[in-house]
Amino acid sequence: MPAPLFSFQGDDMAYVTTTELSDRMTATKYTDLCAGSATIAQAALDRAESMVDGFLTRLYETPIATSAMVQEWVMRLAEYELYKRGMGDNVPSKYRESYQETINELKLANQGILIPPGALAKKADQGGSIEFSSDTALFDESSVQVW
């Protein structure tokens, strides 16, 4: 049976796990940048996921369905955060460019131009109506003036 293209997550599920991030970065680079601390890696992932949700929440119910696109965004942002933390302003250009590309894609998603797979649009506010009733008329022939 083929794997699903995307899956829905609950409140306690992440778009990307620290293990997935470590696999992507290679264990050595991951360990160097995180100082061997899974807490540092998780904090970078949490910030990246919050940023993704922040861009998407204007149009979509968040968290959205986990897809390859969303995971790529989170990993790029988290990698940049870890490099920035470890290397300051000396983040390799590959990661700076990847970060900027992700921000540009998230801006397009925020505008509804780029739609992440499985994203569910927010329900539009249907508005409502109110009804007033009174024994006294608010407007009558004597209270309305013609301009």
Side-chain angles (χ1 to χ4, degrees):
M1 180 177 195
L5 296 177
F6 54 86
S7 63
F8 289 94
Q9 58 187 39
D11 291 336
D12 60 343
M13 293 187 63
Y15 295 126
V16 176
T17 65
T18 54
T19 301
E20 290 168 324
L21 183 61
S22 174
D23 290 347
R24 176 185 170 106
M25 297 181 74
T26 73
T28 303
K29 187 55 75 179
Y30 174 85
T31 301
D32 288 348
L33 292 172
C34 298
S37 170
T39 304
I40 291 172
Q42 188 60 57
L45 284 171
D46 291 346
R47 284 191 304 275
E49 290 172 358
S50 292
M51 185 178 286
V52 168
D53 283 346
F55 274 97
L56 299 179
T57 195
R58 187 172 85 75
L59 298 177
Y60 308 106
E61 296 293 331
T62 56
I64 68 168
T66 300
S67 66
M69 178 185 288
V70 172
Q71 288 182 314
E72 182 67 17
W73 287 339
V74 170
M75 285 197 203
R76 288 177 185 175
L77 295 172
E79 285 173 332
Y80 177 81
E81 284 287 324
L82 291 173
Y83 273 99
K84 187 175 81 173
R85 179 189 172 280
M87 303 178 88
D89 290 337
N90 297 320
V91 176
S93 62
K94 170 184 174 180
Y95 297 99
R96 277 195 319 271
E97 291 165 10
S98 173
Y99 173 85
Q100 192 55 55
E101 182 180 320
T102 301
I103 296 299
N104 291 339
E105 290 173 6
L106 287 168
K107 286 178 181 178
L108 292 174
N110 179 269
Q111 296 167 13
I113 296 169
L114 177 64
I115 301 171
L120 300 175
K122 280 192 170 183
K123 293 183 176 140
D125 182 8
Q126 299 298 316
S129 61
I130 56 174
E131 185 176 320
F132 292 99
S133 62
S134 172
D135 294 336
T136 311
L138 295 174
F139 300 101
D140 60 22
E141 292 177 12
S142 65
S143 66
V144 176
Q145 297 178 1
V146 178
W147 293 87

